[in-house]
Amino acid sequence: MQNAVILINVEKGRIRGVAERLADLEGISEVYSTCGRYDLIAIARTRDFESLASLVTERLMSVEGIRDTETLNAMQVHSRHDLDAMFSVGL
């Protein structure tokens, strides 16, 4: 399993549309809109590095409205937290 955090800036007024398109891409497990330096953060989970490379350099770049990206390739997990539980909203 290859995991990465992809930091994304988009064209003005296109955050929601880009986020929805990214969420539909195979290999993107979550997309978050954010405040601060980046507009969106996408979490990528692929079977291997080649799949991640294809996602970032081909499929992600086909999404209209993306201005620029920075990909942080995860090397090792250092948390014992259940991330699904951390980010879920208990209603």
Side-chain angles (χ1 to χ4, degrees):
M1 175 71 68
Q2 189 67 49
N3 298 318
V5 175
I6 306 169
L7 308 172
I8 304 164
N9 281 315
V10 302
E11 295 171 0
K12 186 176 181 177
R14 300 196 67 182
I15 291 174
R16 181 181 299 261
V18 170
E20 290 172 356
R21 179 99 160 83
L22 289 172
D24 289 338
L25 291 178
E26 182 181 343
I28 299 293
S29 61
E30 300 105 59
V31 180
Y32 300 96
S33 56
T34 63
C35 299
R37 186 174 171 186
Y38 296 96
D39 299 315
L40 298 171
I41 297 175
I43 307 300
R45 301 180 198 284
T46 60
R47 69 179 179 278
D48 53 33
F49 184 78
E50 289 75 21
S51 299
L52 177 63
S54 174
L55 173 65
V56 172
T57 63
E58 296 170 18
R59 293 190 312 256
L60 196 74
M61 293 298 108
S62 72
V63 176
E64 289 187 33
I66 293 178
R67 278 195 335 223
D68 54 73
T69 66
E70 183 174 350
T71 302
L72 307 174
N73 194 16
M75 303 295 290
Q76 193 172 27
V77 177
H78 297 280
S79 175
R80 296 174 200 253
H81 295 288
D82 179 352
L83 294 179
D84 289 333
M86 283 177 60
F87 287 105
S88 68
V89 177
L91 297 177

